[in-house]
Amino acid sequence: MTDQEAPAELQPDVPHAARMWNYWMGGKDNFAADRAAGDAVAQVYPEIAVMARQSRKFLIRVVRHLTAEAGIRQFLDIGTGLPTMQNTHEVAQSIAPESKIVYVDNDPMVLAYARALLVGTTTEGVTTYVHADYHEPEKILADADSALDFTEPVAVMFMGVMGYEPDIKVIRSIVDTVMARVPSGSYLVFWDGTNTSEAVVEGAAKLAEMGGVPYILRSPEELATVFEGLELVEPGLTQISSWRPDGDGIESIEAYGAVGRKP
């Protein structure tokens, strides 16, 4: 889809987070404004493309672990963004074909590509999509109820999306609301960008300067608070590139995450 072909509601002339992320990951579902803003951020924080790639590797490792080792068969992926390679349902259903995945996003462009997320779904499993903002946890839970069994464990995923909410208390409230609904044995997967280098802080400032939605970087200590009351899976809260790496060289990035089990 070219800039000229894009529907007006997609606002192709305004940099958008999901499309910029797609650009950094090497995707083609983005517009000139996204690429310009993405390049501006990369000039001051070149590791942003590394972060994008590592975030997908983290997702793959986490979903693989939860499916193959923890026995999870239900995933609620909130703020999924644009489909790329090896999405949550593809990883989970390649291990357990009966896995159920609910994706959640409120982006018009993500909705336009929602069908792509359903490609490759197994006949035994379920892959569906909820149109909602993560500030609407009750709506998310109500809509997801038609696909997920909330009497059985669910993996709840917030993958690099909470930086757009400026108040950590609001983030904790959203996470707590969702986690209160899922039963014992469920998991929270959460990662976000951190303010652990001057370059990444400059990159976030450049993003806002270019017209993108401001992204709030937090300390690892702040991110740790969303896991209060949960049992962290080893190695705990760490750079996402260091969470159970597959043997590749570990790239240091300003993004921390963890997996926590609800007792």
Side-chain angles (χ1 to χ4, degrees):
M1 186 187 303
T2 67
D3 294 31
Q4 291 73 29
E5 295 170 338
E9 63 267 22
L10 296 186
Q11 295 183 295
D13 56 337
V14 178
H16 194 282
R19 300 192 303 249
M20 289 172 63
W21 203 248
N22 177 270
Y23 174 56
W24 287 324
M25 290 186 72
K28 300 184 182 303
D29 299 318
N30 47 74
F31 300 123
D34 308 306
R35 296 189 287 274
D39 289 341
V41 173
Q43 283 181 358
V44 296
Y45 183 61
E47 291 81 6
I48 189 64
V50 175
M51 184 186 294
R53 293 193 301 270
Q54 286 292 340
S55 71
R56 181 51 47 132
K57 291 182 178 181
F58 176 64
L59 180 149
I60 293 167
R61 295 195 304 273
V62 165
V63 173
R64 187 186 301 147
H65 165 77
L66 291 175
T67 309
E69 300 181 42
I72 295 296
R73 297 293 180 266
Q74 303 188 108
F75 294 83
L76 182 56
D77 188 341
I78 301 175
T80 182
L82 290 168
T84 51
M85 295 174 57
Q86 293 183 280
N87 300 289
T88 300
H89 75 282
E90 293 167 313
V91 178
Q93 291 175 354
S94 69
I95 298 168
E98 71 276 19
S99 297
K100 302 175 182 178
I101 291 83
V102 174
Y103 292 108
V104 181
D105 210 296
N106 71 329
D107 185 318
M109 187 163 185
V110 174
L111 287 174
Y113 282 86
R115 288 183 180 177
L117 283 170
L118 307 182
V119 173
T121 297
T122 59
T123 55
E124 304 96 322
V126 173
T127 306
T128 190
Y129 195 95
V130 169
H131 182 202
D133 189 290
Y134 60 57
H135 291 95
E136 307 172 293
E138 296 291 356
K139 172 177 170 51
I140 290 171
L141 292 167
D143 289 356
D145 189 57
S146 61
L148 303 179
D149 179 357
F150 283 103
T151 68
E152 296 293 329
V154 178
V156 178
M157 304 167 64
F158 293 94
M159 308 296 276
V161 297
M162 285 300 196
Y164 298 105
E165 168 49 55
D167 191 339
I168 188 68
K169 293 180 181 177
V170 172
I171 292 173
R172 291 187 58 178
S173 175
I174 293 168
V175 172
D176 289 349
T177 298
V178 179
M179 293 306 294
R181 177 68 188 277
V182 298
S184 174
S186 294
Y187 288 83
L188 170 66
V189 186
F190 187 107
W191 78 265
D192 233 320
T194 52
N195 57 5
T196 42
S197 81
E198 290 186 14
V200 72
V201 172
E202 290 179 17
K206 179 60 71 173
L207 173 62
E209 181 184 316
M210 292 293 294
V213 178
Y215 192 93
I216 309 302
L217 299 168
R218 296 184 167 87
S219 68
E221 291 76 20
E222 283 182 290
L223 297 185
T225 65
V226 305
F227 291 96
E228 288 181 5
L230 304 178
E231 302 166 346
L232 289 185
V233 174
E234 290 295 331
L237 184 70
T238 182
Q239 288 188 358
I240 58 175
S241 53
S242 299
W243 197 91
R244 303 195 175 198
D246 286 331
D248 298 336
I250 298 175
E251 298 174 287
S252 179
I253 54 173
E254 317 310 324
Y256 280 66
V259 178
R261 182 182 184 275
K262 183 175 180 177

